[in-house]
Structure formats: C-alpha cells, structure tokens
Amino acid sequence: MTITFIYAAIALARAPEADATAVTLLSCLACAIACAPLASPMRLTGQDILWLPLFGVMTSGIAYVCFMAGARLISTTEAGLLGVTEVALAPFWSYLILSEIPPATTFIGGALIVVTVLWFLLGPGTAQPKPSREAA
C-alpha cells in the first residue's frame, strides 16, 4: 500500500486537477491486485467477507481521500512526512484506546519520528509557502 500511496501522492502533486477520489481508488485497487496472490481466501468466513469492505472503506478509503485532498496544499515532501506520523503514532493510539503496552523502544522510536517531523515542519526556515502552479 505504501508504494501505491506514494505514486498516488506524486500523481496528484503533478496533476492537481485530477480527482483525488479516483486516484485513491486506483491506488487501493492496484494494491489489492498485487496482494491477492498472497491471500488465503479459503480462511475467510461469510461474516469476514461482509466486514472486510466496510473495514477497508472506513480505515483506508476515507482517510486516504482526505489525505490526498490535503496533500495538494503542501509539498510532496511534507505530505510524505505527515504520512509517516501515522505509523509512528499507531502504538500510542493502541496504548491510549486499547490499553496495549508496547515495548519502551517502540515509544522511543515513535517519539523520535514525531519530533523529527515536527522539527522539519515547524523549524526555522521551513515555513515557506508552496509555489503556485499558475506562476510557473
């Protein structure tokens, strides 16, 4: 998913008039096709088949469409860095919501990533507006 997500972000950065929903849908479909040979469909129950599309739309589809729509307003580098924070914050959300306790090194690594991203985004000399496409 990461590879197709990156290509979708680059495609939208190069063609801002493109429909973010359609680009995201194509990205998700490409990922599903690439992963299909690795799946074990015989292990799915009827209930699983009903829940999987809902899970995919709610956790990935809506989030990626919103991300891609917002990514048009910032540079591709900044969008990529913000995307990395999802992975870094996942253990924190698991701890906060589900009371799962990951190893301390997980929190240290996540904190390091978040601090680095914040330093890049908020540090001195980085608050430059994205150049408009009309000016080019």
Side-chain angles (χ1 to χ4, degrees), residues 87-122:
V87 176
L89 291 174
F92 173 72
W93 299 127
S94 295
Y95 170 74
L96 192 66
I97 296 168
L98 303 172
S99 299
E100 290 185 16
I101 302 176
T105 54
T106 301
F107 281 116
I108 293 169
L112 182 64
I113 292 170
V114 170
V115 167
T116 303
V117 169
L118 289 174
W119 175 75
F120 176 82
L121 295 176
L122 303 175

Side-chain angles (χ1 to χ4, degrees), residues 17-32:
E17 69 282 352
D19 182 14
T21 305
V23 171
T24 303
L25 176 65
L26 289 174
S27 170
C28 292
L29 285 175
C31 180

Side-chain angles (χ1 to χ4, degrees), residues 29-88:
L29 285 175
C31 180
I33 291 168
C35 292
L38 306 173
S40 299
M42 300 314 235
R43 292 185 177 179
L44 293 177
T45 66
Q47 188 177 13
D48 292 338
I49 292 171
L50 294 174
W51 280 106
L52 282 173
L54 180 63
F55 177 72
V57 168
M58 297 304 290
T59 62
S60 296
I62 294 172
Y64 290 156
V65 167
C66 291
F67 183 88
M68 292 300 176
R72 294 178 177 188
L73 306 174
I74 59 178
S75 72
T76 306
T77 303
E78 291 170 325
L81 285 172
L82 288 173
V84 167
T85 59
E86 175 191 3
V87 176

